[in-house]
């Protein structure tokens, strides 16, 4: 499992890549990925790349909600991308598709 943050300064995009299990064990890395990088960006877009994620639990959903709150709540610009079908199903069952832009791996 790992969490990596990539910053695209020209586009004001912070991409956070989660590989392996997205659960409580990565909560500190996930939080640091967005808290430590967006200091210079006024209104960054967050892209959460779950292409390498093979498991997600309720703590991961909580981490996504904390990111949403940190990024401005209803005004947050967050996309969850490259989701495998089973991950996308978890997000849909939890109604996260109403809070975030969710894209499948096929997009």
């Amino acid at each position: 499992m790992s969490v990596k943050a990539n910053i695209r300064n020209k586009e004001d995009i912070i991409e956070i890549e989660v590989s392996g299990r997205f659960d409580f064990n990565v909560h500190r890395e996930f939080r640091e990925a967005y808290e430590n990088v967006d200091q210079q960006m006024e209104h960054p877009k967050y892209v959460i790349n779950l292409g390498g994620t093979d498991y997600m639990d309720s703590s991961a959903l909580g981490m996504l909600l904390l990111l949403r709150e940190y990024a401005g709540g209803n005004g947050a610009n967050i996309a969850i991308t490259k989701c495998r079908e089973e991950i996308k199903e978890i997000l849909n069952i939890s109604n996260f598709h109403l809070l975030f832009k969710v894209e499948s791996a096929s997009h």
Side-chain angles (χ1 to χ4, degrees):
M1 73 189 126
S2 72
V3 175
K4 262 192 321 193
N6 300 312
I7 304 164
R8 292 185 241 160
N9 281 332
K10 285 185 179 177
E11 305 166 60
D12 284 347
I13 294 176
I14 297 170
E15 181 177 22
I16 300 172
E17 224 177 292
V18 181
S19 299
R21 296 176 64 91
F22 191 13
D23 59 18
F24 187 74
N25 290 317
V26 298
H27 80 280
R28 180 180 297 170
E29 293 167 277
F30 186 77
R31 190 185 69 234
E32 288 174 355
Y34 61 84
E35 284 184 347
N36 292 341
V37 296
D38 71 340
Q39 303 300 324
Q40 292 105 22
M41 296 182 196
E42 201 167 314
H43 301 290
K45 175 181 181 179
Y46 296 89
V47 176
I48 311 303
N49 180 343
L50 299 182
T53 304
D54 52 23
Y55 174 82
M56 169 185 246
D57 68 6
S58 60
S59 64
L61 297 174
M63 286 184 261
L64 290 170
L65 290 175
L66 288 173
L67 168 61
R68 185 174 184 269
E69 185 177 310
Y70 179 84
N74 290 337
N77 188 359
I78 303 172
I80 302 172
T81 64
K82 301 180 182 175
C83 300
R84 294 179 183 178
E85 283 307 311
E86 53 271 14
I87 298 294
K88 189 172 181 181
E89 188 175 328
I90 292 168
L91 294 168
N92 285 339
I93 289 171
S94 306
N95 287 328
F96 272 48
H97 63 289
L98 301 174
L99 302 173
F100 301 92
K101 182 179 178 184
V102 178
E103 298 174 0
S104 298
S106 59
H107 284 145

